[in-house]
Amino acid sequence: MQTPSPLRFAAVLLGAALLLNSCKNDDFLNVDSKSAVTEVSAYSSETNADLVVNDIYNNLASSSNDSNQNLEQYSDNGFCAAGWQTAQTVVRAGAISPANVPNGPNGMWAWETSYTRIRKCNLFLQNVEKYSANFSASWKTQRVGEVRFLRALYYTYLFTSYGGVPLIDKPLDSTTDPEGLFVVRSTIDQTVAFIVADCDAAAASLPATAARKGDGRATKGAALTLKGWAQLFAASPLANPGGDAAKWRAAAAANKQVMDLNTYSLFPDFAALFMQENNDNQEVIFNKEYIAVTAGQSKEGTYGPVNVNGVTQGWGNYAPTQSLVDDYLMSNGLPITNPASGYDPQNPYLNREKRFYQSILYDGARGREILLLPALGATTRLT
């Protein structure tokens, strides 16, 4: 057998070394994914980071194209005509259990969904500090204020549904801190305090009015209103069975702050309040914006009259109950239960307050040249 020469052996070693060295310089093989945005890219500029904020806004609850009912249909103010909807099969049937708690419009009651939204807020707040050098001070101040408002709103969804909840103010990581995933449930007072702190911080950072109508961005008034709403709920008998008057005073003071802004006032025409041409009017404090005619027409199908000119058009799920109808006052400002009101049970829709005619479709009502005859047959009908 031939013995390898030292020269040949050295050549083999050199070749192996060159091969190993070439493997170390293979960065050209590390190609960034074209289907994902990296953290560095997302926070590389204000324009990119705005897309992150927009996604958080996009998680706002909305009833457009949502099969869940309007909140009133879970109450005694509205009736759900479709027997297969949650309001009938679960709520009115008294069949709510831990396994079938309604998610509410756009998942606003869903535990996991809400915490997914909160995590998005926490990630933004963490990363906007991490990449702070990429942003101007004014942009950072406003966007942090907006996201803290949104985090408070998503916590308010949970609070008004479940009372005290686990309070998480940073992104949790199961790989680096698995024990940190187990966050104890906070009390009602602690939860409200957390929401109030976020609202106060947001109000201090946000402008009194939006820079441009139609953007749907949070303002100082939105933050203060959310604070007042959460404190009012916390003062109510449901969350305050002991009747602590200090909680009522705190809610009153927060809502007085909104009034003192002198930014909002009632829109003069209640019937036209929700028309597209009156979007972002002086009564609107905060709303979710849509590009015109892009959100679909599920509301018309879900809530509209069942029968229009002999053709089935909807489910009729926006039906007020008689108790709600009876709550409307007479034109003289007196309730129908007052003998001096002039209410006539045989002619119950005569001389009612203006809001009644602007919001209740009743038998014989006329609107836009359409006669409403809801009492004919078993379903709502327009003819």
Side-chain angles (χ1 to χ4, degrees), residues 267-288:
F267 189 70
D269 187 353
F270 179 71
L273 177 62
F274 299 103
M275 296 297 182
Q276 181 176 323
E277 59 269 21
N278 295 317
N279 283 349
D280 301 297
N281 60 68
Q282 70 266 26
E283 191 170 331
V284 176
I285 297 176
F286 181 72
N287 63 324
K288 183 171 183 175

Side-chain angles (χ1 to χ4, degrees), residues 37 113 118 193 195 311 320 340 356:
V37 178
T113 300
I118 289 167
I195 293 170
V311 179
F356 176 87

Side-chain angles (χ1 to χ4, degrees), residues 1-238:
M1 182 176 67
Q2 185 178 6
T3 302
S5 68
L7 192 61
R8 179 181 297 176
F9 187 70
V12 171
L13 288 178
L14 179 60
L18 290 173
L19 181 61
L20 290 173
N21 188 58
S22 66
C23 291
K24 293 179 181 179
N25 295 320
D26 61 353
D27 289 346
F28 67 94
L29 295 176
N30 298 326
V31 180
D32 289 337
S33 172
K34 302 299 183 182
S35 61
V37 178
T38 66
E39 177 185 290
V40 173
S41 175
Y43 294 91
S44 62
S45 68
E46 293 177 4
T47 299
N48 285 1
D50 267 340
L51 298 178
V52 179
V53 179
N54 291 349
D55 177 61
I56 299 174
Y57 272 106
N58 193 47
N59 285 265
L60 289 168
S62 168
S63 59
S64 291
N65 290 337
D66 196 319
S67 60
N68 287 299
Q69 290 81 51
N70 180 281
L71 296 183
E72 290 286 19
Q73 291 185 291
Y74 295 119
S75 73
D76 57 2
N77 286 334
F79 178 76
C80 176
W84 50 269
Q85 288 277 24
T86 307
Q88 288 284 22
T89 61
V90 176
V91 179
R92 294 187 185 281
I96 296 178
S97 73
N100 67 359
V101 174
N103 286 334
N106 202 38
M108 66 184 297
W109 298 339
W111 186 272
E112 183 176 347
T113 300
S114 292
Y115 277 107
T116 297
R117 294 164 173 168
I118 289 167
R119 178 175 174 81
K120 288 184 177 184
C121 296
N122 289 336
L123 280 168
F124 175 84
L125 294 173
Q126 173 180 278
N127 287 327
V128 80
E129 292 297 334
K130 182 177 179 180
Y131 300 96
S132 183
N134 297 333
F135 314 120
S136 65
S138 59
W139 180 93
K140 179 184 171 184
T141 297
Q142 177 160 341
R143 293 298 183 263
V144 167
E146 291 175 28
V147 172
R148 291 197 68 172
F149 161 80
L150 291 167
R151 184 172 69 176
L153 180 58
Y154 297 140
Y155 266 117
T156 302
Y157 290 165
L158 287 170
F159 162 60
T160 55
S161 303
Y162 304 107
V165 296
L167 299 174
I168 303 170
D169 62 357
K170 62 182 179 180
L172 302 182
D173 191 330
S174 60
T175 58
T176 60
D177 184 20
E179 293 301 318
L181 299 178
F182 301 96
V183 181
V184 299
R185 186 169 185 166
S186 297
T187 65
I188 285 179
D189 288 345
Q190 290 169 334
T191 303
V192 174
F194 184 93
I195 293 170
V196 167
D198 262 356
C199 288
D200 282 339
S205 303
L206 296 175
T209 57
R212 184 177 62 183
K213 279 190 174 184
D215 281 350
R217 294 197 177 277
T219 60
K220 181 186 295 290
L224 293 176
T225 300
L226 178 60
K227 173 185 173 181
W229 175 32
Q231 289 184 316
L232 188 62
F233 193 94
S236 68
L238 180 65

